[in-house]
Amino acid sequence: MSAAFPGQTALGALLAGLSPQLWAIPRIIRVQAPDAALPPHAIVVVREAEGTTVVESVADHAPSDGEPQWAQITLAVDSSLEAVGLTAAVAKALGDAGIPCNVVAAMHHDHLFVPWAQRDAAMTALHTLSAAHR
């Protein structure tokens, strides 16, 4: 464990302790102009040259017709930013199940965004991955 980046780094322990937590409210992933004011309740903000990507709860930003909704799954295991292989293992498990996934790594946990309609299948895949490493 690094003082700069606390948390678990051992891949086996990370996978065994994934503890995926599904958030009950769907999320919207959208882009806005780089100079637009940020929404006060944004969950994730990433600034890029083409625009600012914002992840919000549908409780804060109602989706427009046809706008995809995403499920947020937080891996409750205390993972370090220096951990190697966690994102790859999770992406493989979800990819093998045919589930697209966008990952945001924060200081203590990884947050997965999967299509809302596939949230239950994603949770099953993650629980299966974790159980295989216990």
Side-chain angles (χ1 to χ4, degrees), residues 13 15 24 37-38 47 51-53 59 70 90 102 115 117 128:
L15 294 173
L38 293 175
R47 295 181 188 275
T52 300
T53 300
W70 299 83
V90 167
N102 294 279
T128 299

mmCIF file of all heavy atoms in Angstrom, residues 13 15 24 37-38 47 51-53 59 70 90 102 115 117 128:
data_model
loop_
_atom_site.group_PDB
_atom_site.id
_atom_site.type_symbol
_atom_site.label_atom_id
_atom_site.label_comp_id
_atom_site.label_asym_id
_atom_site.label_seq_id
_atom_site.Cartn_x
_atom_site.Cartn_y
_atom_site.Cartn_z
ATOM 1 N N ALA A 13 -6.955 -10.588 -3.948
ATOM 2 C CA ALA A 13 -7.757 -10.035 -2.853
ATOM 3 C C ALA A 13 -8.792 -9.045 -3.377
ATOM 4 O O ALA A 13 -9.931 -9.011 -2.903
ATOM 5 C CB ALA A 13 -6.856 -9.355 -1.823
ATOM 6 N N LEU A 15 -10.240 -9.073 -6.361
ATOM 7 C CA LEU A 15 -11.313 -9.808 -7.041
ATOM 8 C C LEU A 15 -12.190 -10.561 -6.047
ATOM 9 O O LEU A 15 -13.417 -10.575 -6.179
ATOM 10 C CB LEU A 15 -10.727 -10.748 -8.088
ATOM 11 C CG LEU A 15 -10.030 -10.047 -9.262
ATOM 12 C CD1 LEU A 15 -9.343 -11.057 -10.163
ATOM 13 C CD2 LEU A 15 -10.999 -9.175 -10.038
ATOM 14 N N ALA A 24 -29.540 2.511 -7.154
ATOM 15 C CA ALA A 24 -30.945 2.309 -7.516
ATOM 16 C C ALA A 24 -31.451 3.257 -8.603
ATOM 17 O O ALA A 24 -32.442 2.961 -9.257
ATOM 18 C CB ALA A 24 -31.823 2.458 -6.271
ATOM 19 N N ALA A 37 -21.537 25.884 -17.429
ATOM 20 C CA ALA A 37 -21.513 25.679 -15.976
ATOM 21 C C ALA A 37 -21.751 24.213 -15.658
ATOM 22 O O ALA A 37 -22.572 23.545 -16.301
ATOM 23 C CB ALA A 37 -22.589 26.534 -15.315
ATOM 24 N N LEU A 38 -21.018 23.720 -14.690
ATOM 25 C CA LEU A 38 -21.177 22.328 -14.289
ATOM 26 C C LEU A 38 -22.436 22.154 -13.460
ATOM 27 O O LEU A 38 -22.753 22.996 -12.616
ATOM 28 C CB LEU A 38 -19.965 21.859 -13.480
ATOM 29 C CG LEU A 38 -18.657 21.777 -14.245
ATOM 30 C CD1 LEU A 38 -17.519 21.426 -13.297
ATOM 31 C CD2 LEU A 38 -18.757 20.763 -15.358
ATOM 32 N N ARG A 47 -13.178 16.719 -18.452
ATOM 33 C CA ARG A 47 -13.023 17.780 -19.457
ATOM 34 C C ARG A 47 -12.113 17.280 -20.576
ATOM 35 O O ARG A 47 -11.008 16.797 -20.316
ATOM 36 C CB ARG A 47 -12.434 19.027 -18.821
ATOM 37 C CG ARG A 47 -13.344 19.650 -17.793
ATOM 38 C CD ARG A 47 -12.704 20.915 -17.198
ATOM 39 N NE ARG A 47 -13.456 21.426 -16.087
ATOM 40 C CZ ARG A 47 -14.499 22.249 -16.183
ATOM 41 N NH1 ARG A 47 -14.910 22.641 -17.369
ATOM 42 N NH2 ARG A 47 -15.125 22.666 -15.113
ATOM 43 N N GLY A 51 -15.406 18.640 -25.521
ATOM 44 C CA GLY A 51 -16.516 18.983 -24.645
ATOM 45 C C GLY A 51 -16.294 18.365 -23.280
ATOM 46 O O GLY A 51 -15.322 17.649 -23.048
ATOM 47 N N THR A 52 -17.196 18.632 -22.381
ATOM 48 C CA THR A 52 -17.114 18.114 -21.023
ATOM 49 C C THR A 52 -18.131 17.004 -20.858
ATOM 50 O O THR A 52 -19.328 17.224 -21.057
ATOM 51 C CB THR A 52 -17.368 19.241 -19.998
ATOM 52 O OG1 THR A 52 -16.375 20.246 -20.195
ATOM 53 C CG2 THR A 52 -17.292 18.725 -18.576
ATOM 54 N N THR A 53 -17.650 15.807 -20.514
ATOM 55 C CA THR A 53 -18.537 14.688 -20.247
ATOM 56 C C THR A 53 -19.012 14.784 -18.805
ATOM 57 O O THR A 53 -18.210 14.989 -17.900
ATOM 58 C CB THR A 53 -17.814 13.346 -20.482
ATOM 59 O OG1 THR A 53 -17.380 13.297 -21.852
ATOM 60 C CG2 THR A 53 -18.717 12.166 -20.183
ATOM 61 N N ALA A 59 -32.422 11.719 -11.454
ATOM 62 C CA ALA A 59 -33.161 12.558 -10.506
ATOM 63 C C ALA A 59 -32.746 14.025 -10.654
ATOM 64 O O ALA A 59 -33.506 14.922 -10.315
ATOM 65 C CB ALA A 59 -32.921 12.086 -9.077
ATOM 66 N N TRP A 70 -27.872 4.545 -17.824
ATOM 67 C CA TRP A 70 -26.797 3.682 -17.376
ATOM 68 C C TRP A 70 -26.989 3.334 -15.910
ATOM 69 O O TRP A 70 -27.497 4.135 -15.144
ATOM 70 C CB TRP A 70 -25.457 4.390 -17.558
ATOM 71 C CG TRP A 70 -25.172 4.722 -18.987
ATOM 72 C CD1 TRP A 70 -25.623 5.808 -19.672
ATOM 73 C CD2 TRP A 70 -24.429 3.945 -19.908
ATOM 74 N NE1 TRP A 70 -25.186 5.754 -20.968
ATOM 75 C CE2 TRP A 70 -24.449 4.621 -21.147
ATOM 76 C CE3 TRP A 70 -23.732 2.741 -19.817
ATOM 77 C CZ2 TRP A 70 -23.800 4.131 -22.273
ATOM 78 C CZ3 TRP A 70 -23.086 2.262 -20.937
ATOM 79 C CH2 TRP A 70 -23.128 2.949 -22.139
ATOM 80 N N VAL A 90 -12.301 -7.174 -14.656
ATOM 81 C CA VAL A 90 -13.715 -6.796 -14.652
ATOM 82 C C VAL A 90 -14.210 -6.611 -16.083
ATOM 83 O O VAL A 90 -15.287 -7.092 -16.448
ATOM 84 C CB VAL A 90 -13.919 -5.514 -13.806
ATOM 85 C CG1 VAL A 90 -15.289 -4.906 -14.038
ATOM 86 C CG2 VAL A 90 -13.700 -5.823 -12.329
ATOM 87 N N ASN A 102 -18.149 1.209 -18.928
ATOM 88 C CA ASN A 102 -17.275 2.364 -18.801
ATOM 89 C C ASN A 102 -16.855 2.439 -17.350
ATOM 90 O O ASN A 102 -17.693 2.356 -16.452
ATOM 91 C CB ASN A 102 -18.015 3.641 -19.222
ATOM 92 C CG ASN A 102 -18.352 3.604 -20.691
ATOM 93 O OD1 ASN A 102 -17.508 3.888 -21.523
ATOM 94 N ND2 ASN A 102 -19.579 3.208 -21.013
ATOM 95 N N PRO A 115 -25.106 -0.454 -19.369
ATOM 96 C CA PRO A 115 -26.474 -0.132 -19.783
ATOM 97 C C PRO A 115 -27.487 -0.561 -18.719
ATOM 98 O O PRO A 115 -27.386 -1.652 -18.149
ATOM 99 C CB PRO A 115 -26.653 -0.936 -21.074
ATOM 100 C CG PRO A 115 -25.253 -1.063 -21.607
ATOM 101 C CD PRO A 115 -24.389 -1.231 -20.377
ATOM 102 N N ALA A 117 -30.458 -1.636 -18.837
ATOM 103 C CA ALA A 117 -31.167 -2.890 -19.099
ATOM 104 C C ALA A 117 -30.312 -4.117 -18.790
ATOM 105 O O ALA A 117 -30.850 -5.215 -18.628
ATOM 106 C CB ALA A 117 -31.637 -2.933 -20.552
ATOM 107 N N THR A 128 -20.032 -13.634 -9.886
ATOM 108 C CA THR A 128 -19.392 -14.882 -10.332
ATOM 109 C C THR A 128 -17.874 -14.704 -10.356
ATOM 110 O O THR A 128 -17.136 -15.592 -9.906
ATOM 111 C CB THR A 128 -19.922 -15.276 -11.723
ATOM 112 O OG1 THR A 128 -21.347 -15.482 -11.635
ATOM 113 C CG2 THR A 128 -19.252 -16.536 -12.244
#
